[in-house]
Amino acid sequence: AQTVTQSQPEMSVQEAETVTLSCTYDTSESDYYLFWYKQPPSRQMILVIRQEAYKQQNATENRFSVNFQKAAKSFSLKISDSQLGDAAMYFCAYRAIQGGSEKLVFGKGTKLTVNP
Amino acid sequence: NAGVMQNPRHLVRRRGQEARLRCSPMKGHSHVYWYRQLPEEGLKFMVYLQKENIIDESGMPKERFSAEFPKEGPSILRIQQVVRGDSAAYFCASSLDRTHQETQYFGPGTRLLVL
């Protein structure tokens, strides 16, 4: 079974600085998708970024980028120029491509605090 | 284009009562997923449905829980004889189809509190 591990329960960053959130996963599949979701205090789940495992290039979305290391099964999220609105829980998630089920497997999350 | 809608947003039940949670997917989406989030935890998959079909219910407890997605109307997650351990946030997500390219879009969740 696939598992997703986020080893940092909490992180903090100064406004305008850069922070990196870690995520590792375990799978025997060769092709899959990885995601980062943001959950602000409203608890709405918001997709931040996604990465296809077959793509060599790391995904980027404005101030958000990932460092995808397939061999190491690592998928970290970098937030540049942090803003107060970035404060939230961040969840890393995995989705298999084969096997029929489209379910997402989530890590336990990292709580990000942004200090003014 | 309205997003995924869930109601109620908050639900309080006493032990032994039934809880019904509703999810209306995004317009045009025919695939629905239910996830449960316990306090201080990530989301855990429960069930994946298409219209009138359960595709994967591997994450759903065998007893007291059921889900449906009828041809007309919202998807319903039903919890019978609720217990305190059922207190959690229940999220619904929808996607356009089942191809792996499709992103799952989440609703705002239903917070269930069992007294």
Side-chain angles (χ1 to χ4, degrees):
Chain A
Q2 295 88 4
T3 59
V4 176
T5 302
Q6 294 179 248
S7 59
Q8 306 153 316
E10 295 187 29
M11 291 282 284
S12 63
V13 63
Q14 290 296 128
E15 197 175 2
E17 298 290 310
T18 295
V19 64
T20 299
L21 308 184
S22 301
C23 173
T24 58
Y25 58 94
D26 187 25
T27 182
S28 58
E29 301 293 331
S30 60
D31 208 6
Y32 45 86
Y33 281 85
L34 295 164
F35 304 83
W36 279 97
Y37 280 88
K38 170 184 177 181
Q39 188 179 46
S42 67
R43 302 197 75 179
Q44 174 79 48
M45 293 290 287
I46 301 165
L47 177 66
V48 175
I49 199 166
R50 81 174 198 178
Q51 173 81 41
E52 292 88 342
Y54 64 86
K55 287 189 177 177
Q56 301 276 358
Q57 189 172 7
N58 288 325
T60 62
E61 284 289 339
N62 302 314
R63 297 183 295 108
F64 298 87
S65 61
V66 298
N67 183 4
F68 173 47
Q69 302 288 330
K70 190 172 184 180
K73 296 180 181 174
S74 169
F75 182 61
S76 60
L77 174 70
K78 186 171 86 171
I79 307 174
S80 304
D81 185 25
S82 296
Q83 300 176 0
L84 294 177
D86 294 334
M89 285 290 291
Y90 286 82
F91 292 97
C92 178
Y94 166 100
R95 190 173 88 202
I97 288 179
Q98 302 297 329
S101 178
E102 307 297 310
K103 66 182 179 186
L104 291 165
V105 178
F106 285 88
K108 289 193 173 185
T110 296
K111 182 178 180 180
L112 178 66
T113 301
V114 181
N115 300 311
Chain B
N1 193 9
V4 178
M5 300 177 69
Q6 290 187 248
N7 68 79
R9 295 291 304 275
H10 299 274
L11 183 60
V12 180
R13 284 288 178 267
R14 295 192 181 281
R15 280 179 295 170
Q17 291 184 319
E18 178 180 287
R20 278 183 180 244
L21 288 61
R22 295 176 187 76
C23 169
S24 297
M26 286 180 71
K27 187 176 180 180
H29 286 195
S30 59
H31 297 251
V32 165
Y33 314 79
W34 285 94
Y35 294 84
R36 177 166 65 175
Q37 185 179 30
L38 295 170
E40 311 301 324
E41 295 278 326
L43 279 69
K44 293 269 193 318
F45 168 78
M46 298 182 74
V47 62
Y48 163 36
L49 310 104
Q50 288 179 341
K51 288 280 188 182
E52 300 183 282
N53 284 307
I54 296 175
I55 307 302
D56 180 359
E57 56 182 347
S58 60
M60 200 149 72
K62 296 283 189 286
E63 297 178 357
R64 301 188 298 108
F65 286 73
S66 62
E68 63 177 9
F69 188 17
K71 188 176 180 181
E72 301 291 336
S75 175
I76 306 285
L77 179 67
R78 183 181 176 208
I79 311 172
Q80 295 178 291
Q81 298 171 5
V82 295
V83 301
R84 288 215 174 111
D86 296 333
S87 294
Y90 292 82
F91 288 90
C92 168
S94 74
S95 67
L96 187 60
D97 62 37
R98 71 174 298 162
T99 62
H100 55 264
Q101 293 94 334
E102 288 305 320
T103 297
Q104 293 180 24
Y105 295 92
F106 281 82
T110 294
R111 277 78 181 163
L112 172 64
L113 175 63
V114 180
L115 301 177

mmCIF file of all heavy atoms in Angstrom, chain B residues 12-19 64 79-87 112-115:
data_model
loop_
_atom_site.group_PDB
_atom_site.id
_atom_site.type_symbol
_atom_site.label_atom_id
_atom_site.label_comp_id
_atom_site.label_asym_id
_atom_site.label_seq_id
_atom_site.Cartn_x
_atom_site.Cartn_y
_atom_site.Cartn_z
ATOM 1 N N VAL B 12 -24.694 18.265 14.296
ATOM 2 C CA VAL B 12 -24.544 17.739 15.653
ATOM 3 C C VAL B 12 -25.542 16.605 15.827
ATOM 4 O O VAL B 12 -26.729 16.766 15.523
ATOM 5 C CB VAL B 12 -24.787 18.836 16.712
ATOM 6 C CG1 VAL B 12 -24.631 18.244 18.114
ATOM 7 C CG2 VAL B 12 -23.809 19.989 16.513
ATOM 8 N N ARG B 13 -25.061 15.490 16.286
ATOM 9 C CA ARG B 13 -25.924 14.329 16.521
ATOM 10 C C ARG B 13 -25.592 13.743 17.898
ATOM 11 O O ARG B 13 -24.463 13.824 18.384
ATOM 12 C CB ARG B 13 -25.695 13.256 15.453
ATOM 13 C CG ARG B 13 -26.325 13.589 14.109
ATOM 14 C CD ARG B 13 -27.824 13.459 14.161
ATOM 15 N NE ARG B 13 -28.496 13.812 12.923
ATOM 16 C CZ ARG B 13 -28.971 15.012 12.652
ATOM 17 N NH1 ARG B 13 -28.836 15.998 13.519
ATOM 18 N NH2 ARG B 13 -29.588 15.231 11.524
ATOM 19 N N ARG B 14 -26.592 13.101 18.470
ATOM 20 C CA ARG B 14 -26.373 12.354 19.707
ATOM 21 C C ARG B 14 -26.054 10.912 19.332
ATOM 22 O O ARG B 14 -26.444 10.420 18.267
ATOM 23 C CB ARG B 14 -27.604 12.422 20.587
ATOM 24 C CG ARG B 14 -27.891 13.830 21.076
ATOM 25 C CD ARG B 14 -28.944 13.832 22.182
ATOM 26 N NE ARG B 14 -29.213 15.200 22.604
ATOM 27 C CZ ARG B 14 -28.442 15.898 23.420
ATOM 28 N NH1 ARG B 14 -27.338 15.359 23.921
ATOM 29 N NH2 ARG B 14 -28.755 17.127 23.753
ATOM 30 N N ARG B 15 -25.358 10.266 20.218
ATOM 31 C CA ARG B 15 -24.995 8.861 19.986
ATOM 32 C C ARG B 15 -26.246 8.040 19.660
ATOM 33 O O ARG B 15 -27.282 8.184 20.301
ATOM 34 C CB ARG B 15 -24.308 8.274 21.216
ATOM 35 C CG ARG B 15 -22.851 8.642 21.345
ATOM 36 C CD ARG B 15 -22.245 8.051 22.597
ATOM 37 N NE ARG B 15 -22.856 8.622 23.798
ATOM 38 C CZ ARG B 15 -22.662 8.149 25.010
ATOM 39 N NH1 ARG B 15 -21.910 7.085 25.209
ATOM 40 N NH2 ARG B 15 -23.228 8.721 26.050
ATOM 41 N N GLY B 16 -26.153 7.220 18.649
ATOM 42 C CA GLY B 16 -27.260 6.369 18.240
ATOM 43 C C GLY B 16 -28.121 6.953 17.139
ATOM 44 O O GLY B 16 -28.904 6.203 16.518
ATOM 45 N N GLN B 17 -27.985 8.248 16.866
ATOM 46 C CA GLN B 17 -28.770 8.850 15.801
ATOM 47 C C GLN B 17 -28.119 8.591 14.444
ATOM 48 O O GLN B 17 -27.022 8.054 14.346
ATOM 49 C CB GLN B 17 -28.916 10.360 16.040
ATOM 50 C CG GLN B 17 -29.792 10.705 17.232
ATOM 51 C CD GLN B 17 -29.983 12.205 17.374
ATOM 52 O OE1 GLN B 17 -29.055 13.000 17.192
ATOM 53 N NE2 GLN B 17 -31.210 12.603 17.693
ATOM 54 N N GLU B 18 -28.806 9.013 13.401
ATOM 55 C CA GLU B 18 -28.282 8.865 12.040
ATOM 56 C C GLU B 18 -27.785 10.216 11.536
ATOM 57 O O GLU B 18 -28.352 11.257 11.861
ATOM 58 C CB GLU B 18 -29.392 8.352 11.119
ATOM 59 C CG GLU B 18 -28.954 8.214 9.669
ATOM 60 C CD GLU B 18 -30.067 7.703 8.757
ATOM 61 O OE1 GLU B 18 -30.389 6.511 8.843
ATOM 62 O OE2 GLU B 18 -30.583 8.512 7.958
ATOM 63 N N ALA B 19 -26.721 10.171 10.758
ATOM 64 C CA ALA B 19 -26.206 11.386 10.118
ATOM 65 C C ALA B 19 -26.246 11.201 8.611
ATOM 66 O O ALA B 19 -25.846 10.153 8.090
ATOM 67 C CB ALA B 19 -24.767 11.658 10.565
ATOM 68 N N ARG B 64 -22.393 0.357 9.560
ATOM 69 C CA ARG B 64 -23.015 1.647 9.885
ATOM 70 C C ARG B 64 -22.815 2.705 8.805
ATOM 71 O O ARG B 64 -23.553 3.679 8.783
ATOM 72 C CB ARG B 64 -22.497 2.203 11.231
ATOM 73 C CG ARG B 64 -22.728 1.299 12.422
ATOM 74 C CD ARG B 64 -22.377 1.999 13.748
ATOM 75 N NE ARG B 64 -20.966 2.382 13.814
ATOM 76 C CZ ARG B 64 -20.535 3.633 13.721
ATOM 77 N NH1 ARG B 64 -21.376 4.627 13.554
ATOM 78 N NH2 ARG B 64 -19.240 3.891 13.813
ATOM 79 N N ILE B 79 -24.422 7.719 7.913
ATOM 80 C CA ILE B 79 -23.812 7.046 9.063
ATOM 81 C C ILE B 79 -24.936 6.720 10.034
ATOM 82 O O ILE B 79 -25.608 7.617 10.559
ATOM 83 C CB ILE B 79 -22.761 7.923 9.771
ATOM 84 C CG1 ILE B 79 -21.782 8.529 8.760
ATOM 85 C CG2 ILE B 79 -21.997 7.083 10.802
ATOM 86 C CD1 ILE B 79 -20.825 9.551 9.366
ATOM 87 N N GLN B 80 -25.153 5.444 10.250
ATOM 88 C CA GLN B 80 -26.208 5.018 11.170
ATOM 89 C C GLN B 80 -25.634 4.824 12.570
ATOM 90 O O GLN B 80 -24.453 4.485 12.729
ATOM 91 C CB GLN B 80 -26.825 3.711 10.683
ATOM 92 C CG GLN B 80 -27.550 3.840 9.351
ATOM 93 C CD GLN B 80 -28.097 2.509 8.872
ATOM 94 O OE1 GLN B 80 -27.342 1.617 8.508
ATOM 95 N NE2 GLN B 80 -29.410 2.364 8.895
ATOM 96 N N GLN B 81 -26.474 5.042 13.569
ATOM 97 C CA GLN B 81 -26.115 4.790 14.967
ATOM 98 C C GLN B 81 -24.749 5.391 15.292
ATOM 99 O O GLN B 81 -23.819 4.683 15.711
ATOM 100 C CB GLN B 81 -26.123 3.283 15.238
ATOM 101 C CG GLN B 81 -27.493 2.661 15.031
ATOM 102 C CD GLN B 81 -27.443 1.140 15.084
ATOM 103 O OE1 GLN B 81 -26.407 0.548 15.368
ATOM 104 N NE2 GLN B 81 -28.574 0.520 14.825
ATOM 105 N N VAL B 82 -24.638 6.685 15.107
ATOM 106 C CA VAL B 82 -23.338 7.343 15.261
ATOM 107 C C VAL B 82 -22.774 7.149 16.656
ATOM 108 O O VAL B 82 -23.507 7.047 17.649
ATOM 109 C CB VAL B 82 -23.421 8.849 14.928
ATOM 110 C CG1 VAL B 82 -23.769 9.064 13.467
ATOM 111 C CG2 VAL B 82 -24.390 9.564 15.850
ATOM 112 N N VAL B 83 -21.431 7.100 16.715
ATOM 113 C CA VAL B 83 -20.694 7.023 17.971
ATOM 114 C C VAL B 83 -19.736 8.216 18.030
ATOM 115 O O VAL B 83 -19.505 8.888 17.013
ATOM 116 C CB VAL B 83 -19.901 5.699 18.080
ATOM 117 C CG1 VAL B 83 -20.855 4.516 18.001
ATOM 118 C CG2 VAL B 83 -18.849 5.589 16.988
ATOM 119 N N ARG B 84 -19.178 8.476 19.218
ATOM 120 C CA ARG B 84 -18.325 9.649 19.384
ATOM 121 C C ARG B 84 -17.135 9.623 18.432
ATOM 122 O O ARG B 84 -16.685 10.653 17.948
ATOM 123 C CB ARG B 84 -17.843 9.748 20.824
ATOM 124 C CG ARG B 84 -18.941 10.161 21.790
ATOM 125 C CD ARG B 84 -18.403 11.031 22.907
ATOM 126 N NE ARG B 84 -19.524 11.523 23.719
ATOM 127 C CZ ARG B 84 -19.741 11.137 24.961
ATOM 128 N NH1 ARG B 84 -18.940 10.270 25.548
ATOM 129 N NH2 ARG B 84 -20.771 11.634 25.640
ATOM 130 N N GLY B 85 -16.643 8.427 18.135
ATOM 131 C CA GLY B 85 -15.502 8.313 17.236
ATOM 132 C C GLY B 85 -15.786 8.709 15.798
ATOM 133 O O GLY B 85 -14.861 8.839 14.998
ATOM 134 N N ASP B 86 -17.065 8.900 15.471
ATOM 135 C CA ASP B 86 -17.417 9.364 14.121
ATOM 136 C C ASP B 86 -17.249 10.873 13.983
ATOM 137 O O ASP B 86 -17.336 11.404 12.865
ATOM 138 C CB ASP B 86 -18.867 8.997 13.798
ATOM 139 C CG ASP B 86 -19.114 7.497 13.753
ATOM 140 O OD1 ASP B 86 -18.149 6.749 13.459
ATOM 141 O OD2 ASP B 86 -20.255 7.067 14.031
ATOM 142 N N SER B 87 -17.023 11.573 15.097
ATOM 143 C CA SER B 87 -16.826 13.026 15.040
ATOM 144 C C SER B 87 -15.589 13.315 14.185
ATOM 145 O O SER B 87 -14.486 12.841 14.475
ATOM 146 C CB SER B 87 -16.629 13.592 16.440
ATOM 147 O OG SER B 87 -17.794 13.443 17.207
ATOM 148 N N LEU B 112 -18.938 16.988 11.568
ATOM 149 C CA LEU B 112 -19.883 16.191 12.355
ATOM 150 C C LEU B 112 -19.391 16.115 13.790
ATOM 151 O O LEU B 112 -18.245 15.739 14.036
ATOM 152 C CB LEU B 112 -20.021 14.788 11.767
ATOM 153 C CG LEU B 112 -20.841 13.792 12.592
ATOM 154 C CD1 LEU B 112 -22.297 14.238 12.692
ATOM 155 C CD2 LEU B 112 -20.735 12.383 12.013
ATOM 156 N N LEU B 113 -20.276 16.471 14.703
ATOM 157 C CA LEU B 113 -19.965 16.353 16.132
ATOM 158 C C LEU B 113 -20.988 15.416 16.754
ATOM 159 O O LEU B 113 -22.200 15.644 16.634
ATOM 160 C CB LEU B 113 -20.013 17.714 16.818
ATOM 161 C CG LEU B 113 -19.818 17.717 18.336
ATOM 162 C CD1 LEU B 113 -18.432 17.196 18.697
ATOM 163 C CD2 LEU B 113 -20.026 19.101 18.927
ATOM 164 N N VAL B 114 -20.492 14.374 17.375
ATOM 165 C CA VAL B 114 -21.372 13.412 18.046
ATOM 166 C C VAL B 114 -21.255 13.616 19.550
ATOM 167 O O VAL B 114 -20.156 13.498 20.118
ATOM 168 C CB VAL B 114 -21.014 11.969 17.660
ATOM 169 C CG1 VAL B 114 -21.947 10.995 18.378
ATOM 170 C CG2 VAL B 114 -21.102 11.778 16.156
ATOM 171 N N LEU B 115 -22.381 13.923 20.160
ATOM 172 C CA LEU B 115 -22.376 14.182 21.608
ATOM 173 C C LEU B 115 -22.616 12.912 22.402
ATOM 174 O O LEU B 115 -23.276 11.977 21.897
ATOM 175 C CB LEU B 115 -23.457 15.225 21.946
ATOM 176 C CG LEU B 115 -23.306 16.574 21.228
ATOM 177 C CD1 LEU B 115 -24.470 17.471 21.581
ATOM 178 C CD2 LEU B 115 -21.987 17.234 21.637
#
